[in-house]
Amino acid sequence: MELQIRGVSKTYANGVQALKDVTLTIPVGMYGLLGPNGAGKSTLMRILATLQTPDAGSIRLGAIDVLKQQDDVRQTLGYLPQGFGLYSKVSAERLLDHFAVLKGIGEHRMRQDVVGSILQQVNLWEVRKQKLGSYSGGMRQRFGIAVALLGNPKLLIVDEPTAGLDPAERVRFLNLLSELGEHSIVILSTHIVEDVSELCTRMAIIDQGQILLEAEPLRAIDGLRGRIWRRVIAKDALLALEREHAVISTRLFGGRTLARVYSETPPGPGFEPAEPDLEDVYFSTMAGHIGRRGEQKETAVAQ
Ligand code: ADP
């Protein structure tokens, strides 16, 4: 099964064009949709979750026409929105049971089995009797996934799920998504590059409503080999460096600045070749050096 998004555009009533002719093909597995705040990620996620309609375009999930057969999509969809609210005074087990009733799992024994197995899957079984108000950020996110899993979704959409999680919780949460990606389409929308680099088998970079790059993370990184250079400079030398070179990112490094530069040929004395990473892919794409915006076309980097 594949999710096929073709030519989707959306302009809000205030004139903001949130999506511009978005075309993506998303297979089973974990797919990262990476972009800065305001890029259009949530708009696309809400459209896929049938909560909003686009002005143009078509979307198919396998045989289902997502824009026309909304009930069929909802049957097979799990959606974890950004910053969802939870009742804080009930236990995870009770609330999940309640949602299971709403999902139509009426028979008590069966419901117990389903709720129990999902709580184990998201690793909340031990704390199932605790009130949700006492849960940490990571536990709440995993409870959100538990709710999304009730319908046994073929398409799971999670919008900015790792914001505010501590590193251990983040890793545990991403591992859970990656397990789910073995059998379903899992779309992870995020502005955090490491979320994508660790587990996503495919990704797209979106900015100002447009898809700038669609790629496999490892291949995109490989495509940058030989084109990323680094140099340690004094802080006040940055402006001069930027005038001469395509500086894609800077990091502080022992009180000095470590600049990374995109260049297809050696940029000159003082630079050393750097091992490219997904941050380089992201910043080079955002700056237009690679991807659909730059002249170095996607085929050269991503295919
Ligand atoms: P992201 O999830 O990548 O941060 P969004 O999809 O939330 O991006 O927003 C894309 C653009 O659309 C932004 O410029 C945002 O301000 C605008 N936008 C989002 N929702 C609405 C809305 N309901 N009405 C008007 N503009 C909106």
Side-chain angles (χ1 to χ4, degrees), residues 12-14 16 18 35-44 46 82 159-160:
Y12 285 109
N14 61 359
V16 172
N37 286 332
K41 303 183 296 299
S42 294
T43 302
L44 184 59
R46 284 197 300 266
Q82 224 173 318
D159 198 357
E160 297 274 359

Side-chain angles (χ1 to χ4, degrees), residues 11-238:
T11 301
Y12 285 109
N14 61 359
V16 172
Q17 201 180 350
L19 295 175
K20 299 172 194 166
D21 196 18
V22 168
T23 292
L24 291 173
T25 301
I26 304 184
V28 166
M30 194 158 147
Y31 192 97
L33 183 68
L34 179 64
N37 286 332
K41 303 183 296 299
S42 294
T43 302
L44 184 59
M45 299 298 100
R46 284 197 300 266
I47 288 173
L48 296 177
T50 72
L51 299 172
Q52 255 176 250
T53 47
D55 308 323
S58 66
I59 305 173
R60 293 194 78 85
L61 174 63
I64 303 173
D65 182 329
V66 172
L67 302 178
K68 295 205 177 107
Q69 298 166 265
Q70 299 197 332
D71 285 343
D72 295 334
V73 182
R74 288 174 194 150
Q75 296 271 327
T76 189
L77 168 83
Y79 174 51
L80 184 65
Q82 224 173 318
F84 58 93
L86 284 177
Y87 302 96
S88 56
K89 294 197 172 129
V90 287
S91 71
E93 189 176 41
R94 270 199 62 193
L95 190 58
L96 197 58
D97 183 72
H98 172 72
F99 282 126
V101 174
L102 295 181
K103 270 271 171 193
I105 312 174
E107 205 265 310
H108 179 69
R109 201 48 196 277
M110 185 178 172
R111 215 166 59 237
Q112 248 183 347
D113 287 350
V114 169
V115 165
S117 91
I118 291 181
L119 284 171
Q120 272 167 355
Q121 197 178 354
V122 301
N123 215 345
L124 290 174
W125 175 254
E126 306 293 328
V127 290
R128 68 191 182 282
K129 306 278 183 210
Q130 279 183 31
K131 293 200 168 111
L132 287 160
S134 71
Y135 271 22
S136 68
M139 289 155 82
R140 288 165 65 89
Q141 290 297 64
R142 279 183 279 133
F143 182 78
I145 290 289
V147 176
L149 287 182
L150 273 174
N152 211 1
K154 296 269 175 301
L155 171 62
L156 184 64
I157 297 171
V158 284
D159 198 357
E160 297 274 359
T162 61
L165 300 191
D166 71 37
E169 277 179 334
R170 196 179 136 264
V171 168
R172 181 184 282 199
F173 185 78
L174 291 174
N175 279 327
L176 170 63
L177 289 186
S178 150
E179 269 168 38
L180 299 173
E182 284 168 23
H183 304 288
S184 315
I185 300 170
V186 177
I187 306 178
L188 165 69
S189 137
T190 182
H191 65 275
I192 302 170
V193 176
E194 299 91 74
D195 281 357
V196 174
S197 56
E198 282 162 26
L199 293 164
C200 292
T201 43
R202 288 194 65 82
M203 63 176 282
I205 295 177
I206 183 170
D207 186 34
Q208 295 177 27
Q210 282 179 300
I211 302 298
L212 303 183
L213 181 80
E214 201 183 353
E216 291 170 26
L218 292 179
R219 288 177 85 157
I221 292 169
D222 225 33
L224 273 186
R225 215 163 283 281
R227 293 194 243 162
I228 302 295
W229 307 82
R230 61 181 194 175
R231 182 174 166 184
V232 178
I233 53 164
K235 241 195 260 165
D236 55 8
L238 182 59

